[in-house]
Amino acid sequence: MKAILWLLTGLLALPALAGPRVELVTNLGRLEVELNEEAAPLTVANFLRYVDDGSYNNSLFHRLIPGFVVQGGGFKTDFSPLPSHDPVANESANGLSNLTGTIAMARTQDPDSATRQFYINLNDNRSLDAGRQAGYTVFGKVIDGEQVLQQMAAVPTGMNLQLRARDVPQQPIILLEARRLADQGETPSEP
């Protein structure tokens, strides 16, 4: 019995296994996201591919709907589209929900069409979760920078003729740099 108690005590003392962390430095401040590669291995690998190749750097958050999402990763600051790798298979039935502060992949009507664009939920958006049909794959969460999300949500939006889209921030929200954080001890950079 003592051996079992000792074993349980040791297991409870172990730190929680954390997934890869990525720092998103924007012109409004920094966000830190923790990715869940156990629940969404293909999606995390896809996202990290863009982080590691530097192609998220100096891209726009081009869509903002306060109380819903802020979306980015697909356009340069001049609104020209960025090149994409092949789409990733939809992993939305992974048990993760589109809750406030989670990061998920944007896609078209085709569930397996996500490439490089991602969004951060500004509210609980369970309607985006998998149900009878595929949802939008959640693959991580913001663990630092909630105040930056609040600043983003306050930026006025409007129509952008170049994108032919509404809900485009009228003040550019720029993802200056996306970089992988090596470990818990690494100090994030300042914008």
Side-chain angles (χ1 to χ4, degrees):
M1 184 67 170
K2 284 184 180 180
I4 293 173
L5 287 175
W6 179 82
L7 178 64
L8 286 174
T9 302
L11 289 175
L12 293 175
L14 290 175
L17 295 176
R21 293 178 308 124
V22 171
E23 179 184 41
L24 304 175
V25 180
T26 77
N27 60 325
L28 297 179
R30 62 172 289 284
L31 301 165
E32 187 176 328
V33 296
E34 182 177 76
L35 308 179
N36 189 329
E37 61 189 343
E38 183 176 314
L42 301 175
T43 305
V44 168
N46 177 68
F47 181 76
L48 289 174
R49 186 177 183 185
Y50 292 106
V51 169
D52 293 341
D53 74 13
S55 67
Y56 279 140
N57 297 349
N58 297 307
S59 63
L60 283 176
F61 282 94
H62 67 279
R63 181 177 183 222
L64 167 63
I65 304 174
F68 186 53
V69 301
V70 59
Q71 181 175 328
F75 296 93
K76 296 178 186 176
T77 56
D78 65 0
F79 296 105
S80 60
L82 287 160
S84 297
H85 299 294
D86 290 336
V88 64
N90 187 291
E91 297 176 295
S92 64
N94 62 14
L96 302 179
S97 187
N98 279 275
L99 301 177
T100 304
T102 56
I103 185 169
M105 291 306 294
R107 61 172 176 80
T108 65
Q109 293 293 80
D110 176 357
D112 296 319
S113 63
T115 55
R116 63 176 303 124
Q117 289 189 37
F118 62 90
Y119 64 90
I120 299 171
N121 286 290
L122 300 174
N123 205 346
D124 290 351
N125 295 311
R126 288 186 174 95
S127 63
L128 301 177
D129 293 346
R132 290 184 181 174
Q133 296 182 346
Y136 293 78
T137 303
V138 174
F139 63 98
K141 63 183 177 182
V142 173
I143 59 172
D144 190 30
E146 292 81 8
Q147 71 284 356
V148 175
L149 289 177
Q150 291 171 3
Q151 288 178 343
M152 287 180 175
V155 172
T157 61
M159 182 70 182
N160 180 289
L161 296 177
Q162 190 172 351
L163 287 180
R164 293 188 203 122
R166 298 183 311 249
D167 306 313
V168 177
Q170 297 300 293
Q171 166 198 340
I173 303 174
I174 302 169
L175 177 52
L176 300 169
E177 181 183 15
R179 71 180 187 103
R180 203 187 288 227
L181 296 175
D183 59 39
Q184 300 283 29
E186 185 165 337
T187 304
S189 61
E190 289 297 318

